[in-house]
Amino acid sequence: MTRFRPCIDLHSGQVKQIVGGTLSNTSANLKTNYVSEQPASFFASLYEEHALNGAHVIMLGPGNDEVAQEALRTWPGGLQIGGGITADNAKLWVERGAEKVIVTSYLFPGARFSPDRLEAVLEALDHDTEKLVIDLSCRKKNGKWIVAMNKWQTPTDMEVNQGLTCCSFLLGIADAHRQESITLLEPRCSEFLIHAADNEGLQRGIDEELVVRLGEWCTKPVTYAGGGRHLEDLELVKKLSRGKVDLTIGSALDIFGGNGVSFDECSEWNKQQSRIDHL
C-alpha cells in the first residue's frame, strides 16, 4: 500500500530543499526553496517518533558526513543513507547506523553502468541485498526516462524501463543492461529510489506516467520523489500505481517551509493505510 516516505536532504552541512534540476558544481546556479534552522537530528527524531520507516537521508555533495552521522545516531537502524556511497564506504555507513545504503553515481563510471561496481558494493555488504537501495533517479529525454548521475546533471547509458524477462540476467549482465534496468537490477537490491529530477523541488505535480510505469514494472518496493505538493498526491500515486509506489514529499511540507501539506497530515495518512491493511 502506498506510503509517505520522508526525506532529509543535506547540502553543505544543512538540511535544505533544493530545485533538483539546478544542482551542479557551480553554486551560482543553485536554487534553494528552504534552509532549515533545525539540524538533521531533529528530523531524524521526528520521523522516529512518528514511525516513518524508510526515510532517506541524501548527502548532496561534500560537507555532510558529520551531520548525516548525527542523524543516524539519533535513529540507528531507521534511516537509509545516500550520496557518495561506494564499495569502499557502504559497509561503514551501515556500521554507523544506516538501515540501508542508497547507491547512484558510483554504479556509472564515465556515465556507463558497471556491473562490476554493483557486485563490489554487494560484496562489501556481505551480499546482503536487503541492505542495498538502487537510486535510478532520472530525467526525461525524447519520451524516455534516462538515469542521471552527478547531482542529476549527467545522463547515463541506462533507461528506466522494465526490460526483458529475468532470464536475460543469466545471459550476461553486461549486455542486458542496454535493454533493461528494473528487471536487471531487482535481484541485486531490496528496493528502488527514483527522483524525477525535472520535477524535483518545483511543486508542479508528479510525473504521473512514470508513476504508472513504476507500478507496472516493479515487484520490489519503490519510492518516487519529485513534484509532490498536496495530500491528494498520495491518493493519486496510490491510484496510479495500484498501491505499489511510495511517495516522498519535500518542499511542499510545512516542516520544510511549504504550505501545500502538513507533516501531521502525511503521518496520519500512513496510519490510515496501516488500518486499511489490517482490515
Side-chain angles (χ1 to χ4, degrees):
M1 193 65 70
T2 293
R3 295 286 194 276
F4 163 65
R5 296 262 204 133
C7 62
I8 303 174
D9 292 344
L10 302 175
H11 183 263
S12 299
Q14 295 178 288
V15 177
K16 298 182 181 180
Q17 285 294 309
I18 290 171
V19 178
T22 69
L23 274 170
S24 69
N25 294 324
T26 304
S27 58
N29 297 330
L30 186 69
K31 292 183 180 179
T32 303
N33 287 331
Y34 180 75
V35 180
S36 177
E37 296 180 357
Q38 299 288 353
S41 58
F42 168 84
F43 295 97
S45 179
L46 181 67
Y47 298 164
E48 180 181 22
E49 178 185 348
H50 289 264
L52 293 171
N53 300 89
H56 54 269
V57 180
I58 303 296
M59 300 178 288
L60 300 169
N64 297 306
D65 279 25
E66 185 54 44
V67 289
Q69 290 180 64
E70 184 181 353
L72 297 180
R73 288 192 294 267
T74 301
W75 190 9
L79 299 167
Q80 303 174 2
I81 185 80
I85 304 299
T86 70
D88 293 330
N89 64 20
K91 188 172 184 178
L92 175 62
W93 280 106
V94 172
E95 292 172 347
R96 286 172 171 172
E99 177 198 14
K100 303 180 182 186
V101 292
I102 305 168
V103 182
T104 317
S105 296
Y106 178 73
L107 300 181
F108 296 92
R112 294 184 60 82
F113 174 66
S114 170
D116 291 340
R117 286 201 172 187
L118 175 56
E119 293 305 311
V121 172
L122 282 170
E123 184 174 352
L125 296 172
D126 300 319
H127 299 281
D128 186 355
T129 58
E130 287 301 311
K131 293 295 183 184
L132 180 61
V133 179
I134 295 181
D135 186 334
L136 294 179
S137 295
C138 56
R139 308 191 78 159
K140 200 166 187 179
K141 184 177 181 180
N142 298 325
K144 297 180 179 181
W145 295 282
I146 305 300
V147 176
M149 55 176 279
N150 187 27
K151 303 182 182 70
W152 305 327
Q153 297 303 307
T154 305
T156 71
D157 66 341
M158 179 171 280
E159 178 185 347
V160 179
N161 58 21
Q162 182 178 29
L164 309 175
T165 65
C166 291
C167 296
S168 65
F169 185 84
L170 303 174
L171 296 176
I173 190 171
D175 293 328
H177 84 268
R178 295 183 180 89
Q179 289 85 33
E180 61 178 27
S181 54
I182 301 298
T183 300
L184 169 73
L185 297 172
E186 279 195 328
R188 291 296 192 260
C189 66
S190 63
E191 57 183 280
F192 295 108
L193 172 63
I194 299 180
H195 292 80
D198 296 317
N199 299 59
E200 182 72 14
L202 295 176
Q203 300 183 56
R204 295 178 182 171
I206 63 172
D207 185 331
E208 296 186 20
E209 185 181 358
L210 178 56
V211 171
V212 170
R213 295 291 174 258
L214 294 175
E216 294 172 348
W217 296 338
C218 298
T219 63
K220 291 195 173 180
V222 55
T223 299
Y224 168 91
R229 52 187 173 174
H230 304 301
L231 185 66
E232 290 77 10
D233 284 325
L234 280 162
E235 188 64 47
L236 178 60
V237 169
K238 178 181 176 181
K239 177 182 177 182
L240 294 175
S241 71
R242 293 169 294 153
K244 294 174 64 177
V245 174
D246 292 339
L247 176 65
T248 291
I249 301 175
S251 294
L253 273 180
D254 59 348
I255 60 172
F256 295 129
N259 55 18
V261 61
S262 74
F263 174 81
D264 288 341
E265 287 176 319
C266 292
S267 177
E268 181 59 30
W269 161 273
N270 280 11
K271 294 177 183 177
Q272 290 175 357
Q273 300 311 299
S274 293
R275 289 193 287 268
I276 292 173
D277 285 349
H278 288 92
L279 289 178

